[in-house]
């Protein structure tokens, strides 16, 4: 599975990390900095918005991402809806 992330200013990103991951932007940056520094990982590819996430996930079955619930369409399957 290849995860897709969204740009930091996107509403879906803020909601996903706040509601699901329970981390804010500073905590995420610190997490990825540690992994990059130690050579243990790289952050997911960032894309511009919900539409780009949906297009990539629909075209690549091995990808996963998050979008606003209102953006989900029949080309992708929602596996979790967070509130």
């Amino acid at each position: 599975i290849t995860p897709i992330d969204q740009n930091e200013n996107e509403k879906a990103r803020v909601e996903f990390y706040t509601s699901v991951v329970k981390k804010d932007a500073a905590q995420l940056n610190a997490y990825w900095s540690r992994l990059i520094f130690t050579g243990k990982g790289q952050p997911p590819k960032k894309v511009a918005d919900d539409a780009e996430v949906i297009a990539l996930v629909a075209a690549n079955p091995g990808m996963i991402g998050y979008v606003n619930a209102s953006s989900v369409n029949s080309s992708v399957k929602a596996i979790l809806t967070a509130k």
Side-chain angles (χ1 to χ4, degrees):
I1 299 292
T2 303
I4 302 296
D5 204 356
Q6 291 196 33
N7 289 327
E8 289 185 24
N9 60 344
E10 288 298 312
K11 182 180 176 185
R13 184 179 200 267
V14 173
E15 289 180 9
F16 175 76
Y17 284 110
T18 301
S19 299
V20 178
V21 181
K22 307 287 190 218
K23 295 196 182 297
D24 62 24
Q27 291 169 315
L28 287 170
N29 289 336
Y31 171 79
W32 285 114
S33 292
R34 279 192 307 277
L35 286 181
I36 292 167
F37 180 75
T38 60
K40 294 182 179 178
Q42 291 292 318
K45 175 183 175 178
K46 288 184 183 176
V47 299
D49 55 23
D50 287 354
E52 195 170 350
V53 171
I54 289 172
L56 281 170
V57 171
N60 300 282
M63 289 188 166
I64 190 168
Y66 56 85
V67 297
N68 286 309
S70 62
S71 296
V72 175
N73 61 39
S74 63
S75 68
V76 294
K77 179 181 178 182
I79 57 172
L80 172 70
T81 303
K83 294 186 181 206

